[in-house]
Coordinates of all heavy atoms in Angstrom, one line a residue:
M1 N 115.0 97.2 78.7 CA 114.1 97.5 79.8 C 114.7 97.0 81.1 O 115.3 96.0 81.2 CB 112.8 96.8 79.5 CG 111.7 97.2 80.5 SD 111.3 98.9 80.3 CE 109.5 98.9 80.5
L2 N 114.5 97.8 82.1 CA 115.0 97.5 83.5 C 114.0 96.6 84.2 O 112.8 96.6 83.9 CB 115.2 98.8 84.3 CG 116.2 99.8 83.7 CD1 116.2 101.0 84.6 CD2 117.6 99.1 83.6
D3 N 114.5 95.8 85.1 CA 113.7 94.9 85.9 C 112.8 95.6 86.8 O 113.2 96.4 87.6 CB 114.7 94.0 86.7 CG 114.0 92.9 87.5 OD1 113.2 93.3 88.4 OD2 114.2 91.7 87.2
T4 N 111.5 95.4 86.6 CA 110.5 96.1 87.4 C 110.5 95.8 88.8 O 110.2 96.7 89.7 CB 109.0 95.9 86.8 OG1 108.8 94.5 86.8 CG2 108.9 96.4 85.4
D5 N 110.9 94.6 89.2 CA 111.0 94.2 90.6 C 112.1 95.0 91.3 O 111.9 95.5 92.4 CB 111.3 92.7 90.7 CG 110.9 92.2 92.1 OD1 109.9 92.7 92.7 OD2 111.6 91.3 92.6
Q6 N 113.2 95.2 90.6 CA 114.3 96.0 91.1 C 113.8 97.5 91.2 O 114.2 98.2 92.2 CB 115.5 95.9 90.2 CG 116.2 94.6 90.2 CD 117.2 94.4 89.1 OE1 117.4 95.3 88.2 NE2 118.0 93.4 89.2
L7 N 113.1 98.0 90.2 CA 112.6 99.4 90.3 C 111.7 99.6 91.5 O 111.7 100.6 92.1 CB 111.9 99.8 89.0 CG 112.8 99.9 87.8 CD1 112.0 100.2 86.5 CD2 113.8 101.1 88.0
R8 N 110.8 98.6 91.7 CA 109.9 98.7 92.9 C 110.7 98.7 94.2 O 110.3 99.5 95.1 CB 108.9 97.5 92.9 CG 107.8 97.6 91.9 CD 106.7 96.5 92.1 NE 105.9 96.5 90.9 CZ 106.1 95.8 89.8 NH1 107.2 95.1 89.8 NH2 105.3 95.8 88.8
S9 N 111.7 97.9 94.3 CA 112.5 98.0 95.5 C 113.3 99.3 95.6 O 113.3 99.9 96.7 CB 113.6 96.8 95.5 OG 112.9 95.6 95.6
F10 N 113.8 99.8 94.5 CA 114.4 101.1 94.5 C 113.5 102.2 95.0 O 113.8 103.0 95.9 CB 114.9 101.4 93.1 CG 115.4 102.8 92.9 CD1 116.6 103.3 93.4 CD2 114.6 103.7 92.2 CE1 117.0 104.6 93.2 CE2 115.0 105.0 92.0 CZ 116.2 105.5 92.5
L11 N 112.3 102.2 94.5 CA 111.3 103.3 94.9 C 110.9 103.1 96.3 O 110.6 104.0 97.0 CB 110.1 103.2 93.9 CG 110.4 103.8 92.5 CD1 109.1 103.6 91.7 CD2 110.8 105.2 92.6
A12 N 110.8 101.8 96.8 CA 110.5 101.6 98.2 C 111.5 102.1 99.1 O 111.2 102.7 100.2 CB 110.3 100.1 98.5
I13 N 112.8 102.0 98.7 CA 113.9 102.6 99.5 C 113.8 104.1 99.5 O 113.9 104.7 100.6 CB 115.3 102.1 99.0 CG1 115.4 100.6 99.1 CG2 116.4 102.9 99.7 CD1 116.6 100.1 98.2
V14 N 113.5 104.6 98.4 CA 113.4 106.1 98.3 C 112.2 106.6 99.2 O 112.4 107.5 100.0 CB 113.1 106.6 96.9 CG1 112.8 108.0 96.8 CG2 114.4 106.3 96.0
D15 N 111.1 105.9 99.1 CA 109.9 106.3 99.9 C 110.1 106.1 101.4 O 109.7 106.9 102.2 CB 108.7 105.4 99.5 CG 108.2 105.8 98.1 OD1 108.5 106.9 97.6 OD2 107.4 105.0 97.6
T16 N 110.8 105.0 101.8 CA 110.9 104.8 103.3 C 112.2 105.3 103.9 O 112.3 105.5 105.1 CB 110.9 103.2 103.5 OG1 112.0 102.6 102.9 CG2 109.6 102.6 103.0
G17 N 113.2 105.6 103.0 CA 114.5 106.1 103.5 C 115.4 105.0 104.1 O 116.4 105.3 104.8
S18 N 115.0 103.7 103.9 CA 115.7 102.6 104.6 C 115.6 101.4 103.7 O 114.5 101.0 103.3 CB 115.1 102.4 105.9 OG 115.4 101.1 106.5
F19 N 116.7 100.7 103.6 CA 116.7 99.4 103.0 C 115.8 98.4 103.8 O 115.1 97.5 103.2 CB 118.1 98.8 102.8 CG 118.9 99.4 101.6 CD1 119.2 100.7 101.6 CD2 119.2 98.6 100.5 CE1 119.9 101.2 100.5 CE2 119.9 99.1 99.5 CZ 120.3 100.4 99.4
T20 N 115.9 98.4 105.1 CA 115.2 97.5 105.9 C 113.7 97.7 105.8 O 112.9 96.8 105.6 CB 115.7 97.6 107.4 OG1 117.1 97.4 107.4 CG2 114.9 96.7 108.3
R21 N 113.3 98.9 105.9 CA 111.8 99.2 105.8 C 111.3 99.0 104.4 O 110.2 98.5 104.2 CB 111.5 100.7 106.3 CG 111.6 100.9 107.8 CD 111.1 102.2 108.2 NE 111.8 103.3 107.6 CZ 112.8 104.0 108.2 NH1 113.3 103.6 109.3 NH2 113.3 105.0 107.5
A22 N 112.2 99.2 103.4 CA 111.8 98.9 102.0 C 111.6 97.4 101.8 O 110.6 97.0 101.2 CB 112.8 99.4 101.1
A23 N 112.5 96.6 102.4 CA 112.3 95.2 102.3 C 111.0 94.7 102.9 O 110.3 93.8 102.3 CB 113.5 94.5 103.1
E24 N 110.6 95.3 104.0 CA 109.3 94.9 104.6 C 108.2 95.3 103.7 O 107.2 94.5 103.5 CB 109.1 95.7 105.9 CG 110.1 95.2 107.0 CD 110.1 96.1 108.3 OE1 109.3 97.1 108.3 OE2 110.9 95.8 109.2
R25 N 108.3 96.5 103.0 CA 107.2 96.9 102.1 C 107.1 96.0 100.9 O 106.0 95.7 100.5 CB 107.5 98.3 101.6 CG 106.4 98.9 100.7 CD 106.7 100.3 100.3 NE 106.4 101.2 101.3 CZ 106.4 102.5 101.2 NH1 106.7 103.0 100.0 NH2 106.2 103.3 102.2
V26 N 108.2 95.5 100.4 CA 108.1 94.7 99.2 C 108.2 93.2 99.5 O 108.3 92.4 98.6 CB 109.3 95.1 98.1 CG1 109.1 96.5 97.7 CG2 110.7 94.8 98.7
N27 N 108.1 92.9 100.8 CA 108.0 91.5 101.2 C 109.3 90.7 100.8 O 109.1 89.6 100.2 CB 106.7 90.8 100.7 CG 105.5 91.4 101.3 OD1 105.5 91.7 102.5 ND2 104.5 91.7 100.5
K28 N 110.4 91.2 101.0 CA 111.7 90.6 100.8 C 112.6 90.8 102.0 O 112.3 91.6 102.8 CB 112.4 91.2 99.5 CG 111.6 91.0 98.2 CD 112.4 91.4 97.1 CE 111.6 91.3 95.8 NZ 111.0 90.1 95.5
T29 N 113.7 90.0 102.0 CA 114.6 90.3 103.1 C 115.5 91.5 102.7 O 115.5 91.9 101.5 CB 115.6 89.1 103.2 OG1 116.3 88.9 102.0 CG2 114.8 87.8 103.6
Q30 N 116.1 92.1 103.7 CA 117.0 93.2 103.5 C 118.1 92.9 102.5 O 118.4 93.6 101.7 CB 117.5 93.8 104.8 CG 118.3 95.1 104.7 CD 119.7 94.8 104.4 OE1 120.3 93.8 104.8 NE2 120.4 95.7 103.7
S31 N 118.6 91.7 102.7 CA 119.7 91.3 101.8 C 119.3 91.1 100.4 O 120.0 91.4 99.5 CB 120.4 90.0 102.4 OG 119.5 88.9 102.4
A32 N 118.1 90.6 100.2 CA 117.5 90.4 98.8 C 117.4 91.8 98.1 O 117.7 92.0 97.0 CB 116.2 89.7 98.8
V33 N 116.9 92.8 98.9 CA 116.7 94.1 98.4 C 118.1 94.8 98.1 O 118.3 95.3 97.0 CB 115.9 95.0 99.3 CG1 116.0 96.5 99.0 CG2 114.5 94.6 99.4
S34 N 119.0 94.5 98.9 CA 120.4 95.1 98.7 C 121.0 94.4 97.4 O 121.6 95.1 96.6 CB 121.3 94.7 99.9 OG 120.9 95.5 101.0
M35 N 120.8 93.1 97.2 CA 121.2 92.5 96.0 C 120.5 93.0 94.8 O 121.2 93.3 93.7 CB 121.0 91.0 96.1 CG 121.4 90.2 94.9 SD 123.2 90.3 94.6 CE 123.8 89.2 95.8
Q36 N 119.2 93.3 94.9 CA 118.5 93.8 93.7 C 119.1 95.2 93.3 O 119.3 95.5 92.2 CB 117.1 94.0 94.0 CG 116.2 92.8 94.0 CD 114.8 93.1 94.2 OE1 114.4 93.8 95.1 NE2 114.0 92.5 93.3
I37 N 119.4 96.0 94.3 CA 119.9 97.4 94.1 C 121.4 97.2 93.5 O 121.7 98.0 92.5 CB 119.9 98.3 95.3 CG1 118.5 98.4 95.8 CG2 120.6 99.6 95.1 CD1 117.5 99.0 94.7
R38 N 122.1 96.3 94.0 CA 123.5 96.1 93.5 C 123.4 95.7 92.0 O 124.2 96.2 91.2 CB 124.2 95.0 94.3 CG 125.7 94.9 94.0 CD 126.5 94.1 95.1 NE 125.7 93.1 95.8 CZ 125.3 93.2 97.1 NH1 125.5 94.3 97.7 NH2 124.7 92.2 97.6
R39 N 122.5 94.8 91.7 CA 122.3 94.4 90.3 C 121.8 95.5 89.4 O 122.2 95.7 88.2 CB 121.4 93.2 90.2 CG 122.1 92.0 90.7 CD 121.2 90.8 90.5 NE 121.9 89.6 91.0 CZ 121.3 88.5 91.6 NH1 120.0 88.5 91.6 NH2 122.0 87.5 91.9
L40 N 120.9 96.3 89.9 CA 120.4 97.5 89.2 C 121.5 98.5 88.9 O 121.7 99.0 87.8 CB 119.3 98.1 90.0 CG 118.6 99.3 89.3 CD1 118.0 99.0 87.9 CD2 117.5 99.9 90.2
E41 N 122.4 98.7 89.9 CA 123.5 99.7 89.8 C 124.5 99.1 88.7 O 125.0 99.8 87.9 CB 124.2 99.9 91.1 CG 123.3 100.7 92.0 CD 124.0 100.9 93.4 OE1 124.7 100.0 93.9 OE2 123.8 102.0 94.0
E42 N 124.7 97.8 88.8 CA 125.6 97.2 87.8 C 125.0 97.3 86.4 O 125.8 97.6 85.4 CB 125.8 95.7 88.1 CG 126.7 95.5 89.3 CD 126.7 94.0 89.8 OE1 126.1 93.1 89.2 OE2 127.4 93.8 90.8
R43 N 123.8 97.1 86.2 CA 123.1 97.2 84.9 C 123.2 98.6 84.4 O 123.5 98.8 83.2 CB 121.6 96.8 85.1 CG 120.8 97.1 83.9 CD 120.5 95.9 83.2 NE 119.6 96.3 82.0 CZ 119.3 95.4 81.1 NH1 119.6 94.2 81.2 NH2 118.6 95.8 80.1
L44 N 123.0 99.6 85.2 CA 123.1 101.0 84.8 C 124.5 101.5 84.8 O 124.7 102.6 84.1 CB 122.3 101.9 85.8 CG 120.8 101.6 85.8 CD1 120.1 102.3 87.0 CD2 120.1 101.9 84.5
G45 N 125.4 100.9 85.4 CA 126.8 101.4 85.5 C 126.9 102.7 86.4 O 127.8 103.5 86.1
R46 N 126.0 102.8 87.3 CA 125.9 104.0 88.1 C 125.6 103.6 89.6 O 124.8 102.7 89.8 CB 124.8 105.0 87.7 CG 124.8 105.3 86.2 CD 125.7 106.5 85.9 NE 125.6 106.8 84.5 CZ 126.4 107.5 83.9 NH1 127.4 108.0 84.6 NH2 126.3 107.8 82.6
S47 N 126.1 104.4 90.5 CA 125.7 104.2 91.9 C 124.4 105.0 92.1 O 124.3 106.2 91.6 CB 126.7 104.8 92.9 OG 127.9 104.0 92.8
L48 N 123.4 104.5 92.8 CA 122.1 105.1 93.0 C 122.0 105.7 94.4 O 121.3 106.6 94.6 CB 121.0 104.1 92.8 CG 121.0 103.5 91.3 CD1 119.9 102.4 91.2 CD2 120.8 104.6 90.3
F49 N 122.7 105.1 95.3 CA 122.7 105.5 96.8 C 124.1 105.8 97.2 O 125.0 105.1 96.9 CB 122.0 104.5 97.7 CG 120.6 104.2 97.3 CD1 120.2 103.2 96.5 CD2 119.6 105.1 97.8 CE1 118.9 103.0 96.2 CE2 118.3 104.9 97.5 CZ 117.9 103.8 96.7
A50 N 124.2 106.8 98.0 CA 125.5 107.1 98.7 C 125.8 106.0 99.7 O 124.9 105.6 100.4 CB 125.5 108.5 99.4
K51 N 127.0 105.6 99.7 CA 127.4 104.4 100.5 C 128.0 104.8 101.9 O 129.0 104.2 102.3 CB 128.4 103.6 99.8 CG 127.9 103.1 98.4 CD 126.7 102.1 98.5 CE 126.5 101.4 97.2 NZ 125.2 101.7 96.6
H52 N 127.6 105.8 102.5 CA 128.1 106.2 103.8 C 127.1 106.6 104.8 O 126.0 107.1 104.4 CB 129.1 107.4 103.6 CG 128.4 108.6 103.0 ND1 127.6 109.5 103.6 CD2 128.5 109.0 101.7 CE1 127.2 110.4 102.7 NE2 127.7 110.2 101.6
G53 N 127.3 106.2 106.0 CA 126.4 106.5 107.1 C 125.1 105.7 107.0 O 124.9 104.8 106.2
R54 N 124.1 106.1 107.9 CA 122.8 105.5 107.9 C 121.9 106.2 106.9 O 122.2 107.2 106.4 CB 122.2 105.6 109.3 CG 122.9 104.7 110.3 CD 122.0 104.5 111.5 NE 122.4 103.4 112.3 CZ 122.0 102.1 112.1 NH1 121.2 101.8 111.1 NH2 122.4 101.2 112.9
G55 N 120.8 105.5 106.7 CA 119.8 106.1 105.8 C 120.2 105.6 104.4 O 121.0 104.8 104.1
A56 N 119.5 106.2 103.4 CA 119.7 105.9 102.0 C 119.7 107.1 101.1 O 118.8 107.3 100.3 CB 118.6 104.9 101.6
P57 N 120.7 108.0 101.3 CA 120.7 109.2 100.5 C 121.0 108.9 99.0 O 121.8 108.0 98.7 CB 121.8 110.0 101.1 CG 122.7 109.1 101.8 CD 121.8 107.9 102.2
L58 N 120.3 109.5 98.1 CA 120.4 109.3 96.7 C 121.7 110.0 96.2 O 122.0 111.1 96.6 CB 119.2 109.8 95.9 CG 117.9 109.0 96.1 CD1 116.8 109.7 95.5 CD2 118.1 107.6 95.4
T59 N 122.3 109.4 95.2 CA 123.3 110.1 94.4 C 122.5 110.9 93.3 O 121.3 110.8 93.2 CB 124.2 109.1 93.7 OG1 123.4 108.3 92.7 CG2 124.9 108.2 94.6
D60 N 123.3 111.7 92.6 CA 122.6 112.5 91.5 C 121.9 111.6 90.5 O 120.8 111.8 90.0 CB 123.6 113.4 90.8 CG 124.1 114.6 91.7 OD1 123.4 114.9 92.6 OD2 125.1 115.2 91.3
D61 N 122.6 110.4 90.2 CA 122.1 109.5 89.3 C 120.8 108.8 89.9 O 119.8 108.6 89.1 CB 123.1 108.4 88.9 CG 124.2 109.0 88.0 OD1 123.9 109.8 87.1 OD2 125.3 108.6 88.2
G62 N 120.8 108.6 91.1 CA 119.7 108.0 91.8 C 118.5 108.9 91.7 O 117.3 108.5 91.5
G63 N 118.8 110.2 91.9 CA 117.7 111.2 91.8 C 117.1 111.3 90.4 O 115.9 111.5 90.3
K64 N 117.9 111.1 89.4 CA 117.4 111.1 88.0 C 116.5 109.9 87.8 O 115.5 110.0 87.2 CB 118.6 111.1 87.0 CG 119.4 112.3 87.0 CD 120.6 112.3 86.1 CE 121.4 113.5 86.2 NZ 122.7 113.4 85.5
L65 N 116.9 108.7 88.4 CA 116.1 107.5 88.2 C 114.7 107.7 88.9 O 113.7 107.2 88.4 CB 116.8 106.3 88.7 CG 116.1 105.0 88.5 CD1 115.8 104.7 87.0 CD2 116.9 103.8 89.1
V66 N 114.7 108.4 90.0 CA 113.4 108.6 90.7 C 112.4 109.3 89.8 O 111.2 109.0 89.9 CB 113.7 109.5 92.0 CG1 112.4 110.0 92.5 CG2 114.4 108.7 93.0
D67 N 112.9 110.1 88.9 CA 112.0 110.8 88.0 C 111.4 109.9 87.0 O 110.3 110.2 86.5 CB 112.8 112.0 87.3 CG 113.2 113.1 88.2 OD1 112.6 113.2 89.3 OD2 114.2 113.8 87.9
Y68 N 112.1 108.9 86.6 CA 111.7 108.0 85.5 C 111.1 106.7 86.0 O 110.3 106.1 85.2 CB 112.9 107.7 84.6 CG 113.3 109.0 83.8 CD1 114.4 109.7 84.2 CD2 112.6 109.4 82.7 CE1 114.9 110.8 83.6 CE2 113.0 110.6 82.0 CZ 114.1 111.3 82.5 OH 114.5 112.4 81.8
A69 N 111.5 106.2 87.1 CA 111.1 104.8 87.5 C 109.6 104.6 87.6 O 109.1 103.7 87.1 CB 111.8 104.5 88.8
P70 N 108.8 105.6 88.2 CA 107.4 105.4 88.3 C 106.7 105.3 86.9 O 105.9 104.5 86.7 CB 106.9 106.6 89.0 CG 108.0 107.1 89.8 CD 109.2 106.8 88.9
R71 N 107.2 106.0 85.9 CA 106.7 106.0 84.6 C 107.0 104.6 83.9 O 106.2 104.0 83.2 CB 107.2 107.1 83.7 CG 106.7 107.2 82.3 CD 105.3 107.6 82.3 NE 104.8 107.6 80.9 CZ 103.8 107.0 80.4 NH1 103.0 106.4 81.2 NH2 103.5 107.1 79.1
M72 N 108.3 104.1 84.1 CA 108.7 102.8 83.6 C 107.7 101.7 84.2 O 107.3 100.9 83.4 CB 110.1 102.5 83.9 CG 111.1 103.3 83.2 SD 112.8 102.7 83.6 CE 113.6 104.3 83.9
L73 N 107.4 101.8 85.4 CA 106.5 100.8 86.0 C 105.2 100.9 85.5 O 104.5 99.9 85.2 CB 106.5 100.9 87.6 CG 107.8 100.5 88.3 CD1 107.7 100.9 89.7 CD2 108.1 99.1 88.1
Q74 N 104.7 102.1 85.3 CA 103.4 102.4 84.7 C 103.3 101.8 83.3 O 102.3 101.1 82.9 CB 103.0 103.8 84.7 CG 101.6 104.1 84.2 CD 101.4 105.6 84.2 OE1 102.3 106.4 84.1 NE2 100.1 106.0 84.2
I75 N 104.3 102.0 82.5 CA 104.3 101.5 81.1 C 104.3 100.0 81.1 O 103.6 99.3 80.4 CB 105.5 102.0 80.3 CG1 105.3 103.5 80.1 CG2 105.8 101.3 79.0 CD1 106.6 104.2 79.6
E76 N 105.1 99.4 82.0 CA 105.2 97.9 82.1 C 104.0 97.3 82.5 O 103.6 96.2 82.0 CB 106.3 97.6 83.1 CG 106.6 96.1 83.3 CD 107.2 95.4 82.0 OE1 107.9 96.2 81.3 OE2 107.1 94.2 81.9
T77 N 103.1 97.9 83.3 CA 101.9 97.2 83.8 C 100.7 97.7 83.0 O 99.6 97.1 83.3 CB 101.7 97.6 85.3 OG1 101.6 99.0 85.5 CG2 102.9 97.0 86.1
S78 N 100.8 98.6 82.1 CA 99.7 99.0 81.3 C 99.3 98.0 80.3 O 100.2 97.5 79.6 CB 100.0 100.4 80.7 OG 100.2 101.4 81.6
P79 N 98.0 97.7 80.1 CA 97.6 96.8 79.0 C 97.9 97.5 77.6 O 97.8 98.7 77.5 CB 96.2 96.6 79.2 CG 95.7 97.7 80.1 CD 96.9 98.2 80.8
M80 N 98.2 96.7 76.7 CA 98.5 97.3 75.3 C 97.2 97.6 74.6 O 96.2 97.2 74.5 CB 99.3 96.3 74.5 CG 100.7 96.2 75.0 SD 101.5 97.6 74.4 CE 103.2 97.1 74.5

């Protein structure tokens, strides 16, 4: 199972289009969110965001995770 806190930060970046605005949304520093994403990418062995220019464009793998991350969070927080 993936870390739900990392998934929340990932989705906040996708929603806001910015690591800085995502950090504000999840009440973390920008560097903490960046570290979470770096660890998530290491865990998956895939880059989730393109590393050029401003903004936070998704890679193809990042786009695939967007499809699954909300469901993973829903499963994690659902009572058994």
Side-chain angles (χ1 to χ4, degrees):
M1 188 65 143
L2 298 177
D3 182 293
T4 56
D5 201 35
Q6 292 172 347
L7 290 175
R8 281 187 196 87
S9 291
F10 170 75
L11 289 175
I13 296 164
V14 171
D15 288 345
T16 64
S18 161
F19 278 66
T20 302
R21 288 190 301 266
E24 292 168 1
R25 180 179 286 185
V26 298
N27 297 314
K28 297 188 182 310
T29 64
Q30 185 273 329
S31 61
V33 168
S34 293
M35 179 65 74
Q36 284 186 311
I37 298 306
R38 192 167 26 257
R39 288 184 178 150
L40 181 59
E41 289 176 328
E42 288 170 2
R43 169 107 182 174
L44 296 171
R46 310 273 183 196
S47 293
L48 301 173
F49 295 97
K51 306 289 194 243
H52 55 79
R54 288 203 163 267
L58 289 169
T59 62
D60 289 341
D61 290 320
K64 290 174 188 173
L65 184 57
V66 167
D67 294 337
Y68 293 100
R71 180 71 178 130
M72 286 186 229
L73 289 173
Q74 182 181 25
I75 290 168
E76 181 69 23
T77 60
S78 296
M80 289 280 201

